[in-house]
Amino acid sequence: MKEININRSKKEVVILFAGDSGDGIQFTGGQFTETVELFGNDISTFPNFPAEIRAPIGTEAGVSGFQLKFGSVEVFTPGDQYDVLVVMNAAALKVNLHNLRQGGVIVANISGFDSKNLKLAKYIDDENPLTNDSLENYEVHAIDISKLTKEALKDSGLSVKEIDRCKNMFVLGFIYWMFSQSPDNTIKFIQHKFKSKPEIADANTKALKTGYHYGETSETFTSRYEVKPAPLQKGKYRNISGNQATALGMVAAANHNNFELMYASYPITPASDILHELSKHKSFGVKTFQAEDEIAAVCAAIGASFGGSLAITGSSGPGIALKAEAMGLAVMLELPLIVVNVQRGGPSTGLPTKTEQADLLQMLYGRNGEAPMPVFAAASPKDCFDTIYEACRIAIEHMTPVVVLSDGYIANGAEPWRFPTSKDLKTITPRRPDKTDFLEDKFLPYERDEHEVRPWAVPGIKGFEHRLGGLEKELRTGNVSYNPENHQEMIRIREKKVNDIALDLPDQIIHRGNEGADLLVLGWGSTFGSIERAVKDLIEEGISVAHIHLRHINPFPKNLESLLRSFKRVIIPEMNRGQLSKLIRERFLIDAISVNKTKGIPFSVEEIKQAILKHQDHVSTSA
Amino acid sequence: MSVQVLNSSGNGNPLTAKDYATDQDVRWCPGCGDYSILKQVQTVLPTLDIPKEKTVFVSGIGCAARYPYYMNTYGMHSIHGRATAVASGLKAARPDLDVWIITGDGDALSIGGNHFIHLLRRNFNVNVLLFNNEIYGLTKGQYSPTSPKGKVTKSTPYGSVDHPFNPIALALGAEGTFVARSMDRDPKHLRDILLAAHEHKGTSFIDIYQNCNVFNDGAFGLFTDKATKDDHTLFLEDGKPLIFGKETKGIKLDGFKPIVVSLEETAADECWIHDPKDKIKASILSGFFEYDMNQGALPRPFGIFYKNERATYEDLLTEQIEDHKKTDNTDLDKLLSGENTWEVK
Ligand SMILES: Cc1ncc(C[n+]2csc(CCOP(=O)(O)OP(=O)(O)O)c2C)c(N)n1
Ligand code: SF4
């Protein structure tokens, strides 16, 4: 028996599981996630699907990945560079090696590196990276996973194909061993999942255990890693992805406040999962409407809103472009509506499976005429819940369409979520029409309260019959009006209504660091994790830097300007060409510096640190 | 009107057409066919057993689409081509409402073509009134998807080269469950068809010939002028033979080919007997359009081409929801916690 020490205690580890789409990579990653969550680690995960649905097996285009970072400290992102790269074939190594840190661990399936696979992965002259010296700088564990799994399951009675499908469980077992995690949770899961097929359940369990024992008995390893539980806030947790959180936020807003939820959408990556998730919750009275196109979807939502539903439409860049005209209609009608944009790389079809934040100005301005709409952005997977819930409240209480921005990164990414109970949810109170909304016996659908909110009168109520429409409205009566003074006044009112929403929203907080620091990193949306981590690390190193993250982009928080002015310099990292910077410069005449990245992948923590250090240097030398 | 008045305004008095009119000035051109259609609808509504506050008119954009402003019910004047989509969402959300869609030939068949066919396919229980004037009125006279080939308009000074849509054939092809045609100049017929459309459970589509006396005057003269209408119109009635021309002519089928016969030689009951449930015959009837476009050989049918029951979208949707309410989780807290939770103590 060899000596194995758990001598490599780690604060954080980044793992990438990679292989063919058919290798069960997402399942493997999902199981590992569940296990370490139960153990008490903090974690952030990100699946990376190939762009093609069924790319040829063994090729680079067909590689699917599941990245995760787990730790004994608070984890903000799925990580920059991998510490451990698990590859089921040559193509998976080829496309991911560049992101493995020097000295990192490679766990490779040898039979995925036969001459056929090497050819498919386009290794020159079928040169095998596992046997030449190219991986010298890494700790390589080449294991014949396929063969070992086959051997372990030779008496299982399963077909060759079925046995081969169990090899991901071997890998998982091995990785559990490597990180001193118990395979029990996954065994329980497998037994439950394949309840009706005990031979499959047993085979998977056996493969898992074989992988685990392999770690123990093989000579390859002399040490295991250990990542201690993280000091998380007390409470009950679950794992949640951004799209799931968005969907649940919608159901919660409707259910808790006795609205019927109508979600109208047309499939598009990466927004579709919201539709998929909602369509499961029929028992909550959720009505999902898969429309014939995005225009129909937003229009159906407007119809449902007129009918009194909490009406939501969701899409991604190109689909949102199609909705623009109807969003303007919603501005004119002054009906509650939420438009979710799960952004992706653009323009046009762009990079459908990659992330970007380049639709901000489209959401703010992409309509004809003066058509202001509140724009909120979610910062992380779990933040999608609070953001959409708040958007629903604002839309209903202020009678306005509201935009919610998410993106492919947080939509598909997942993290532990200390979920609320229904008691924690805010009450949403619509402004219903009453006696004050009448001129003699005539109902005034555009009578307003002090915040310019008009009443929501739903068809079916006697005495409140009225007509809405896209033509300009006369003050109070809502009748069609071409009067020049009236039009100018209505434009002013619609703008004030949206601006007044700032009074109903919390003040901006500083997420990390102090007011008056040398440098502020101002962010919005999915850059939250990278910025937060970079700023945290640099503050610990004694750098004078702070982080403010905006959820409310229109209207801006009341105190934002004074906060911003307290810093010597403001930098704004964005996955676009500087859209929030434009807004900040235009609104406050603050000389904010834009830090851009448009590669379809999120900022790494390192990139944000570099940007901070570069500009921080500038501040201290010029001061 | 011989229809029975069922509705009441709440103070014991029956509602009248006037109760459905708003205080807004109607702004169509004098002489426009839209006036007649407005009047017929206002006349029919009080006879339906539907409270005024449950009635909603949804329109797109065009001259016709101004319509909701003139109805003292709930209403929405939406955007070009999308009334069908707005109404779909409204009806899905509120199956209890009586929803009417007002649209034009450009609105429904050009910019809104996609939503139009999908509305019919889904079979929401709504009524679609297509004000078909074979021209774009509001934009001042360009040809529309129903304008005949060769039409000279502002945008086609040398005649249009577009082949027109046959709205009835389109509606049948899109799986419409109630497909009818009427016209502004025949108030009695229009009222009857409106009533039948309302009675039908499912999407009821009425192609209403409407004269735009400013940009396309007389487009339907063949069917409305005293001198020509008898020979060129055929009024369809369930169970009755297809006869026209002041009962001098009838239609028979020669295989699938409709032919005109003289009633002096053929008895009326030997003619084609109209059966609105027969979709194949309905599609042959819809094809009369092509015949008379090309040869003027067959009269233009008016009335109900096709009518058949099929489950409505909103009923199926509601049913599914009710079923799942019975069997699935309805507790929000359970939904929020999901199936895999852990506690940090
Ligand atoms: C998106 C958009 N495109 C174009 C227009 C201009 N437009 C208004 S009405 C109309 C055509 C209307 O024709 P039709 O539907 O036949 O109605 P009519 O005016 O004849 O009743 C057009 C092209 C518009 N309002 N919106
Ligand atoms: S332009 Fe034609 S359709 Fe429009 S109101 Fe005038 S007559 Fe009627």
Side-chain angles (χ1 to χ4, degrees), chain A residues 43-95:
Chain A
I43 185 165
S44 170
T45 65
F46 189 71
N48 193 351
F49 306 109
E52 267 68 51
I53 305 299
R54 293 268 184 271
I57 293 180
T59 63
E60 292 172 70
V63 174
S64 160
F66 189 98
Q67 183 178 341
L68 62 88
K69 176 174 179 179
F70 69 115
S72 61
V73 290
E74 204 178 345
V75 171
F76 296 102
T77 72
D80 296 355
Q81 287 194 307
Y82 321 130
D83 300 300
V84 179
L85 175 59
V86 180
V87 291
M88 301 303 281
N89 63 22
L93 179 72
K94 186 137 188 237
V95 290

Short mmCIF file of all heavy atoms in Angstrom, two decimals, chain A residues 43-95:
data_model
loop_
_atom_site.label_atom_id
_atom_site.label_comp_id
_atom_site.label_asym_id
_atom_site.label_seq_id
_atom_site.Cartn_x
_atom_site.Cartn_y
_atom_site.Cartn_z
N ILE A 43 -19.12 27.79 -5.03
CA ILE A 43 -18.79 27.33 -6.39
C ILE A 43 -19.45 28.22 -7.43
O ILE A 43 -20.48 28.84 -7.17
CB ILE A 43 -19.25 25.85 -6.58
CG1 ILE A 43 -18.82 25.31 -7.95
CG2 ILE A 43 -20.74 25.70 -6.39
CD1 ILE A 43 -18.91 23.80 -8.08
N SER A 44 -18.81 28.29 -8.58
CA SER A 44 -19.42 28.98 -9.71
C SER A 44 -19.14 28.11 -10.93
O SER A 44 -18.04 27.59 -11.09
CB SER A 44 -18.77 30.36 -9.86
OG SER A 44 -19.17 30.94 -11.06
N THR A 45 -20.16 27.90 -11.76
CA THR A 45 -19.99 26.98 -12.88
C THR A 45 -20.38 27.62 -14.20
O THR A 45 -21.19 28.56 -14.23
CB THR A 45 -20.87 25.72 -12.69
OG1 THR A 45 -22.24 26.11 -12.75
CG2 THR A 45 -20.58 25.03 -11.38
N PHE A 46 -19.81 27.10 -15.26
CA PHE A 46 -20.17 27.60 -16.59
C PHE A 46 -20.05 26.49 -17.63
O PHE A 46 -18.97 25.97 -17.86
CB PHE A 46 -19.28 28.77 -16.98
CG PHE A 46 -19.76 29.44 -18.23
CD1 PHE A 46 -20.91 30.18 -18.23
CD2 PHE A 46 -19.06 29.28 -19.43
CE1 PHE A 46 -21.38 30.78 -19.39
CE2 PHE A 46 -19.52 29.89 -20.59
CZ PHE A 46 -20.68 30.63 -20.57
N PRO A 47 -21.17 26.13 -18.24
CA PRO A 47 -21.11 25.12 -19.30
C PRO A 47 -20.68 25.78 -20.60
O PRO A 47 -21.01 26.93 -20.86
CB PRO A 47 -22.56 24.64 -19.40
CG PRO A 47 -23.38 25.81 -18.98
CD PRO A 47 -22.55 26.62 -18.02
N ASN A 48 -19.95 25.07 -21.41
CA ASN A 48 -19.52 25.63 -22.68
C ASN A 48 -19.90 24.64 -23.77
O ASN A 48 -19.24 23.63 -23.97
CB ASN A 48 -18.00 25.84 -22.63
CG ASN A 48 -17.54 26.70 -23.77
OD1 ASN A 48 -18.32 26.99 -24.68
ND2 ASN A 48 -16.29 27.10 -23.72
N PHE A 49 -21.01 24.93 -24.44
CA PHE A 49 -21.50 23.99 -25.45
C PHE A 49 -20.89 24.31 -26.79
O PHE A 49 -20.63 25.47 -27.10
CB PHE A 49 -23.03 24.10 -25.59
CG PHE A 49 -23.76 23.94 -24.29
CD1 PHE A 49 -24.37 25.04 -23.69
CD2 PHE A 49 -23.83 22.71 -23.68
CE1 PHE A 49 -25.06 24.90 -22.49
CE2 PHE A 49 -24.52 22.56 -22.48
CZ PHE A 49 -25.14 23.66 -21.89
N PRO A 50 -20.70 23.26 -27.63
CA PRO A 50 -20.26 23.56 -28.99
C PRO A 50 -21.35 24.32 -29.74
O PRO A 50 -22.54 24.18 -29.42
CB PRO A 50 -20.01 22.18 -29.60
CG PRO A 50 -20.72 21.20 -28.73
CD PRO A 50 -20.90 21.84 -27.38
N ALA A 51 -20.96 25.13 -30.72
CA ALA A 51 -21.93 25.93 -31.47
C ALA A 51 -22.82 25.03 -32.35
O ALA A 51 -23.98 25.31 -32.55
CB ALA A 51 -21.22 26.96 -32.33
N GLU A 52 -22.22 23.93 -32.82
CA GLU A 52 -23.01 23.04 -33.67
C GLU A 52 -23.72 22.01 -32.80
O GLU A 52 -23.20 21.60 -31.77
CB GLU A 52 -22.12 22.32 -34.68
CG GLU A 52 -22.03 23.03 -36.01
CD GLU A 52 -21.29 24.35 -35.90
OE1 GLU A 52 -20.19 24.37 -35.35
OE2 GLU A 52 -21.84 25.35 -36.37
N ILE A 53 -24.91 21.61 -33.22
CA ILE A 53 -25.70 20.70 -32.40
C ILE A 53 -25.06 19.32 -32.35
O ILE A 53 -24.90 18.74 -31.30
CB ILE A 53 -27.15 20.57 -32.95
CG1 ILE A 53 -27.79 21.95 -33.08
CG2 ILE A 53 -27.97 19.66 -32.06
CD1 ILE A 53 -27.93 22.72 -31.80
N ARG A 54 -24.73 18.79 -33.51
CA ARG A 54 -24.10 17.47 -33.55
C ARG A 54 -22.86 17.57 -34.43
O ARG A 54 -22.83 17.04 -35.54
CB ARG A 54 -25.05 16.43 -34.15
CG ARG A 54 -26.27 16.13 -33.29
CD ARG A 54 -26.04 14.97 -32.34
NE ARG A 54 -27.28 14.68 -31.61
CZ ARG A 54 -27.60 15.26 -30.46
NH1 ARG A 54 -26.80 16.14 -29.91
NH2 ARG A 54 -28.74 14.95 -29.86
N ALA A 55 -21.86 18.25 -33.92
CA ALA A 55 -20.61 18.35 -34.68
C ALA A 55 -19.99 16.95 -34.72
O ALA A 55 -20.23 16.14 -33.83
CB ALA A 55 -19.69 19.33 -34.00
N PRO A 56 -19.21 16.66 -35.77
CA PRO A 56 -18.64 15.32 -35.89
C PRO A 56 -17.87 14.92 -34.63
O PRO A 56 -17.10 15.71 -34.07
CB PRO A 56 -17.68 15.45 -37.08
CG PRO A 56 -18.15 16.65 -37.83
CD PRO A 56 -18.85 17.54 -36.86
N ILE A 57 -18.06 13.67 -34.21
CA ILE A 57 -17.40 13.13 -33.02
C ILE A 57 -15.89 13.25 -33.16
O ILE A 57 -15.33 13.03 -34.23
CB ILE A 57 -17.80 11.66 -32.83
CG1 ILE A 57 -19.30 11.58 -32.51
CG2 ILE A 57 -16.97 10.99 -31.74
CD1 ILE A 57 -19.80 10.17 -32.32
N GLY A 58 -15.24 13.62 -32.09
CA GLY A 58 -13.78 13.63 -32.08
C GLY A 58 -13.14 14.89 -32.63
O GLY A 58 -11.94 15.07 -32.52
N THR A 59 -13.92 15.78 -33.22
CA THR A 59 -13.33 17.00 -33.80
C THR A 59 -13.33 18.14 -32.78
O THR A 59 -14.05 18.09 -31.78
CB THR A 59 -14.12 17.48 -35.03
OG1 THR A 59 -15.44 17.82 -34.60
CG2 THR A 59 -14.19 16.38 -36.08
N GLU A 60 -12.56 19.16 -33.10
CA GLU A 60 -12.49 20.31 -32.20
C GLU A 60 -13.85 20.99 -32.07
O GLU A 60 -14.21 21.48 -31.00
CB GLU A 60 -11.45 21.31 -32.72
CG GLU A 60 -10.03 20.78 -32.63
CD GLU A 60 -9.04 21.70 -33.32
OE1 GLU A 60 -8.81 22.80 -32.81
OE2 GLU A 60 -8.51 21.30 -34.38
N ALA A 61 -14.60 21.03 -33.18
CA ALA A 61 -15.91 21.71 -33.16
C ALA A 61 -16.89 20.99 -32.23
O ALA A 61 -17.86 21.58 -31.78
CB ALA A 61 -16.48 21.79 -34.56
N GLY A 62 -16.62 19.72 -31.96
CA GLY A 62 -17.58 18.95 -31.17
C GLY A 62 -17.29 18.95 -29.68
O GLY A 62 -17.99 18.30 -28.90
N VAL A 63 -16.29 19.69 -29.25
CA VAL A 63 -15.89 19.64 -27.84
C VAL A 63 -16.87 20.42 -26.96
O VAL A 63 -17.21 21.57 -27.22
CB VAL A 63 -14.46 20.17 -27.63
CG1 VAL A 63 -14.12 20.23 -26.15
CG2 VAL A 63 -13.46 19.30 -28.37
N SER A 64 -17.32 19.73 -25.93
CA SER A 64 -18.22 20.33 -24.95
C SER A 64 -17.44 20.46 -23.64
O SER A 64 -16.59 19.63 -23.34
CB SER A 64 -19.42 19.38 -24.80
OG SER A 64 -20.11 19.61 -23.60
N GLY A 65 -17.72 21.52 -22.90
CA GLY A 65 -16.95 21.71 -21.67
C GLY A 65 -17.83 22.09 -20.50
O GLY A 65 -18.93 22.61 -20.68
N PHE A 66 -17.36 21.80 -19.32
CA PHE A 66 -18.04 22.26 -18.10
C PHE A 66 -16.97 22.78 -17.16
O PHE A 66 -16.13 22.02 -16.68
CB PHE A 66 -18.83 21.12 -17.45
CG PHE A 66 -19.73 21.56 -16.32
CD1 PHE A 66 -21.08 21.78 -16.54
CD2 PHE A 66 -19.22 21.77 -15.04
CE1 PHE A 66 -21.92 22.19 -15.49
CE2 PHE A 66 -20.05 22.20 -14.00
CZ PHE A 66 -21.41 22.40 -14.24
N GLN A 67 -16.97 24.08 -16.98
CA GLN A 67 -15.93 24.71 -16.16
C GLN A 67 -16.50 25.04 -14.79
O GLN A 67 -17.64 25.48 -14.68
CB GLN A 67 -15.47 26.00 -16.85
CG GLN A 67 -14.34 26.69 -16.11
CD GLN A 67 -13.87 27.94 -16.84
OE1 GLN A 67 -14.12 28.10 -18.04
NE2 GLN A 67 -13.22 28.83 -16.13
N LEU A 68 -15.70 24.82 -13.77
CA LEU A 68 -16.17 25.18 -12.45
C LEU A 68 -15.00 25.61 -11.59
O LEU A 68 -13.85 25.20 -11.79
CB LEU A 68 -16.91 24.01 -11.80
CG LEU A 68 -16.13 22.72 -11.53
CD1 LEU A 68 -15.45 22.75 -10.16
CD2 LEU A 68 -17.10 21.55 -11.58
N LYS A 69 -15.32 26.47 -10.66
CA LYS A 69 -14.34 26.85 -9.67
C LYS A 69 -15.01 26.67 -8.33
O LYS A 69 -16.12 27.14 -8.11
CB LYS A 69 -13.95 28.31 -9.87
CG LYS A 69 -12.98 28.86 -8.84
CD LYS A 69 -12.62 30.26 -9.28
CE LYS A 69 -11.69 30.98 -8.37
NZ LYS A 69 -11.41 32.31 -8.94
N PHE A 70 -14.34 25.92 -7.43
CA PHE A 70 -14.93 25.76 -6.10
C PHE A 70 -13.87 26.11 -5.07
O PHE A 70 -12.67 26.07 -5.35
CB PHE A 70 -15.51 24.36 -5.90
CG PHE A 70 -14.50 23.25 -5.82
CD1 PHE A 70 -14.34 22.51 -4.66
CD2 PHE A 70 -13.72 22.91 -6.93
CE1 PHE A 70 -13.43 21.47 -4.59
CE2 PHE A 70 -12.81 21.88 -6.87
CZ PHE A 70 -12.66 21.16 -5.71
N GLY A 71 -14.35 26.53 -3.89
CA GLY A 71 -13.36 27.02 -2.97
C GLY A 71 -13.79 27.00 -1.52
O GLY A 71 -14.96 26.81 -1.18
N SER A 72 -12.80 27.24 -0.69
CA SER A 72 -13.06 27.38 0.75
C SER A 72 -13.26 28.85 1.07
O SER A 72 -13.40 29.23 2.22
CB SER A 72 -11.90 26.81 1.55
OG SER A 72 -10.72 27.53 1.24
N VAL A 73 -13.19 29.69 0.03
CA VAL A 73 -13.45 31.12 0.19
C VAL A 73 -14.60 31.48 -0.75
O VAL A 73 -15.03 30.65 -1.55
CB VAL A 73 -12.20 31.95 -0.21
CG1 VAL A 73 -11.10 31.77 0.82
CG2 VAL A 73 -11.73 31.56 -1.59
N GLU A 74 -15.07 32.71 -0.66
CA GLU A 74 -16.16 33.13 -1.54
C GLU A 74 -15.69 33.08 -2.99
O GLU A 74 -14.63 33.59 -3.32
CB GLU A 74 -16.58 34.56 -1.17
CG GLU A 74 -17.98 34.89 -1.57
CD GLU A 74 -18.37 36.32 -1.15
OE1 GLU A 74 -17.65 36.91 -0.32
OE2 GLU A 74 -19.36 36.82 -1.67
N VAL A 75 -16.49 32.45 -3.84
CA VAL A 75 -16.11 32.27 -5.25
C VAL A 75 -16.98 33.21 -6.11
O VAL A 75 -18.19 33.22 -5.97
CB VAL A 75 -16.33 30.80 -5.67
CG1 VAL A 75 -16.15 30.63 -7.16
CG2 VAL A 75 -15.36 29.89 -4.90
N PHE A 76 -16.33 33.99 -6.96
CA PHE A 76 -17.09 34.98 -7.72
C PHE A 76 -17.29 34.62 -9.19
O PHE A 76 -18.19 35.12 -9.83
CB PHE A 76 -16.39 36.34 -7.65
CG PHE A 76 -16.34 36.92 -6.28
CD1 PHE A 76 -15.20 36.86 -5.51
CD2 PHE A 76 -17.47 37.52 -5.75
CE1 PHE A 76 -15.17 37.40 -4.23
CE2 PHE A 76 -17.46 38.06 -4.47
CZ PHE A 76 -16.30 38.00 -3.71
N THR A 77 -16.38 33.83 -9.74
CA THR A 77 -16.46 33.49 -11.17
C THR A 77 -16.09 32.02 -11.35
O THR A 77 -15.51 31.42 -10.46
CB THR A 77 -15.47 34.33 -12.00
OG1 THR A 77 -14.14 33.85 -11.73
CG2 THR A 77 -15.55 35.80 -11.68
N PRO A 78 -16.39 31.46 -12.53
CA PRO A 78 -15.97 30.08 -12.79
C PRO A 78 -14.46 29.97 -13.02
O PRO A 78 -13.97 28.89 -13.32
CB PRO A 78 -16.74 29.70 -14.06
CG PRO A 78 -17.70 30.78 -14.29
CD PRO A 78 -17.22 32.01 -13.60
N GLY A 79 -13.74 31.06 -12.88
CA GLY A 79 -12.29 30.98 -12.93
C GLY A 79 -11.70 31.40 -14.26
O GLY A 79 -12.36 31.35 -15.29
N ASP A 80 -10.43 31.82 -14.21
CA ASP A 80 -9.73 32.22 -15.43
C ASP A 80 -9.04 31.01 -16.05
O ASP A 80 -9.46 30.46 -17.03
CB ASP A 80 -8.69 33.29 -15.11
CG ASP A 80 -9.32 34.58 -14.59
OD1 ASP A 80 -10.57 34.65 -14.56
OD2 ASP A 80 -8.58 35.49 -14.23
N GLN A 81 -7.91 30.59 -15.40
CA GLN A 81 -7.15 29.45 -15.91
C GLN A 81 -7.50 28.20 -15.12
O GLN A 81 -7.81 28.27 -13.93
CB GLN A 81 -5.66 29.75 -15.77
CG GLN A 81 -5.18 30.78 -16.77
CD GLN A 81 -3.68 30.80 -16.84
OE1 GLN A 81 -3.01 30.93 -15.82
NE2 GLN A 81 -3.14 30.65 -18.04
N TYR A 82 -7.40 27.05 -15.80
CA TYR A 82 -7.73 25.80 -15.12
C TYR A 82 -6.55 25.32 -14.30
O TYR A 82 -5.40 25.43 -14.71
CB TYR A 82 -8.09 24.70 -16.13
CG TYR A 82 -8.89 25.18 -17.31
CD1 TYR A 82 -8.50 24.85 -18.60
CD2 TYR A 82 -10.04 25.95 -17.13
CE1 TYR A 82 -9.23 25.28 -19.70
CE2 TYR A 82 -10.78 26.38 -18.22
CZ TYR A 82 -10.36 26.05 -19.51
OH TYR A 82 -11.07 26.48 -20.59
N ASP A 83 -6.87 24.73 -13.15
CA ASP A 83 -5.85 24.00 -12.39
C ASP A 83 -5.84 22.55 -12.85
O ASP A 83 -4.81 21.88 -12.84
CB ASP A 83 -6.16 24.04 -10.89
CG ASP A 83 -6.18 25.47 -10.38
OD1 ASP A 83 -5.15 26.15 -10.51
OD2 ASP A 83 -7.25 25.92 -9.90
N VAL A 84 -7.02 22.06 -13.19
CA VAL A 84 -7.15 20.67 -13.61
C VAL A 84 -7.94 20.62 -14.91
O VAL A 84 -9.01 21.24 -15.02
CB VAL A 84 -7.91 19.84 -12.53
CG1 VAL A 84 -8.06 18.40 -12.99
CG2 VAL A 84 -7.22 19.93 -11.19
N LEU A 85 -7.39 19.91 -15.87
CA LEU A 85 -8.07 19.76 -17.15
C LEU A 85 -8.34 18.28 -17.38
O LEU A 85 -7.40 17.48 -17.46
CB LEU A 85 -7.16 20.33 -18.26
CG LEU A 85 -7.62 20.17 -19.71
CD1 LEU A 85 -8.96 20.84 -19.93
CD2 LEU A 85 -6.58 20.77 -20.65
N VAL A 86 -9.61 17.93 -17.44
CA VAL A 86 -9.98 16.53 -17.66
C VAL A 86 -10.41 16.40 -19.11
O VAL A 86 -11.35 17.06 -19.54
CB VAL A 86 -11.15 16.13 -16.74
CG1 VAL A 86 -11.53 14.67 -16.98
CG2 VAL A 86 -10.80 16.37 -15.29
N VAL A 87 -9.69 15.58 -19.90
CA VAL A 87 -10.03 15.49 -21.32
C VAL A 87 -10.33 14.04 -21.71
O VAL A 87 -9.57 13.13 -21.40
CB VAL A 87 -8.91 16.06 -22.21
CG1 VAL A 87 -8.83 17.56 -22.05
CG2 VAL A 87 -7.56 15.43 -21.91
N MET A 88 -11.44 13.89 -22.39
CA MET A 88 -11.84 12.55 -22.80
C MET A 88 -11.27 12.19 -24.16
O MET A 88 -11.29 11.03 -24.56
CB MET A 88 -13.38 12.45 -22.86
CG MET A 88 -14.07 12.74 -21.53
SD MET A 88 -13.51 11.67 -20.18
CE MET A 88 -14.43 10.17 -20.54
N ASN A 89 -10.80 13.16 -24.92
CA ASN A 89 -10.18 12.84 -26.21
C ASN A 89 -9.17 13.93 -26.60
O ASN A 89 -9.02 14.94 -25.90
CB ASN A 89 -11.23 12.64 -27.31
CG ASN A 89 -12.04 13.91 -27.57
OD1 ASN A 89 -11.61 15.03 -27.26
ND2 ASN A 89 -13.22 13.75 -28.14
N ALA A 90 -8.50 13.68 -27.72
CA ALA A 90 -7.42 14.56 -28.16
C ALA A 90 -7.92 15.96 -28.49
O ALA A 90 -7.28 16.96 -28.17
CB ALA A 90 -6.72 13.94 -29.37
N ALA A 91 -9.11 16.03 -29.13
CA ALA A 91 -9.64 17.33 -29.51
C ALA A 91 -9.88 18.19 -28.26
O ALA A 91 -9.62 19.40 -28.27
CB ALA A 91 -10.94 17.16 -30.29
N ALA A 92 -10.36 17.57 -27.20
CA ALA A 92 -10.64 18.31 -25.97
C ALA A 92 -9.37 18.90 -25.39
O ALA A 92 -9.36 20.02 -24.86
CB ALA A 92 -11.32 17.40 -24.95
N LEU A 93 -8.26 18.17 -25.51
CA LEU A 93 -6.99 18.70 -25.03
C LEU A 93 -6.55 19.85 -25.92
O LEU A 93 -6.13 20.91 -25.44
CB LEU A 93 -5.92 17.60 -25.03
CG LEU A 93 -4.54 18.07 -24.56
CD1 LEU A 93 -4.54 18.32 -23.06
CD2 LEU A 93 -3.44 17.08 -24.93
N LYS A 94 -6.67 19.61 -27.22
CA LYS A 94 -6.17 20.60 -28.17
C LYS A 94 -6.83 21.97 -27.96
O LYS A 94 -6.16 22.99 -27.93
CB LYS A 94 -6.41 20.10 -29.59
CG LYS A 94 -5.80 20.98 -30.64
CD LYS A 94 -5.11 20.18 -31.72
CE LYS A 94 -4.35 21.09 -32.65
NZ LYS A 94 -4.78 20.92 -34.03
N VAL A 95 -8.15 22.00 -27.83
CA VAL A 95 -8.82 23.31 -27.74
C VAL A 95 -8.70 23.95 -26.36
O VAL A 95 -8.89 25.15 -26.24
CB VAL A 95 -10.32 23.27 -28.13
CG1 VAL A 95 -10.49 23.02 -29.60
CG2 VAL A 95 -11.09 22.24 -27.34
#
